[in-house]
Amino acid sequence: AFFVPCPRQLASSGSTALGRMRGLVAVKRVVDYAVKVRVKPDRSAVDIESVKMSMNPFCEIAVEEGLRLREKGHLSELIAVSCGPDKVSETLRQALAMGADRAIHIKTPMPTDQE
């Protein structure tokens, strides 16, 4: 997770960055930790066609910590960001449901390590 001050707010206020920072949390879509992973019959890769996908548990911890910092007043906004195909939007919705203010989806046709 990265927490950066907003330059416009710092320049206009002349004060410290405390309470005026935006938090950026990268979230990743992975195979659910409770699912038993199977290898494809030709042993070329992991079979992820019919398995449940979810947010990486470590990313969940980062979102929760960002929410704590926002509640304490150290952050003005928490933004979740992820890169990948259309299915990544499910993971970003989960971050929004946890309490993130905004989500950014960087769409790419390139395969990620989960595809």
Side-chain angles (χ1 to χ4, degrees):
F2 299 97
F3 305 104
V4 294
C6 177
R8 282 181 274 144
Q9 292 175 342
L10 288 176
S12 64
S13 67
S15 64
T16 64
L18 189 63
R20 300 198 182 274
M21 291 181 14
R22 294 179 183 170
L24 181 66
V25 180
V27 294
K28 185 175 180 180
R29 181 176 180 257
V30 297
V31 175
D32 190 80
Y33 66 90
V35 172
K36 184 175 180 182
V37 180
R38 298 179 190 263
V39 179
K40 290 183 177 180
D42 62 358
R43 296 184 178 258
S44 63
V46 175
D47 184 16
I48 59 168
E49 293 300 318
S50 60
V51 297
K52 181 182 175 192
M53 304 292 274
S54 64
M55 185 188 300
N56 183 338
F58 297 105
C59 297
E60 286 182 19
I61 293 168
V63 171
E64 290 169 0
E65 185 59 30
L67 294 171
R68 283 188 207 102
L69 289 171
R70 190 184 67 194
E71 288 171 3
K72 290 179 183 176
H74 298 301
L75 297 177
S76 62
E77 182 178 31
L78 185 63
I79 305 165
V81 64
S82 192
C83 180
D86 290 335
K87 292 182 179 181
V88 170
S89 62
E90 298 168 9
T91 305
L92 290 171
R93 272 190 238 119
Q94 183 180 353
L96 290 169
M98 291 174 71
D101 297 306
R102 288 192 297 146
I104 299 172
H105 181 183
I106 302 168
K107 293 184 182 181
T108 177
M110 297 177 62
T112 61
D113 63 344
Q114 295 294 321
E115 299 173 293

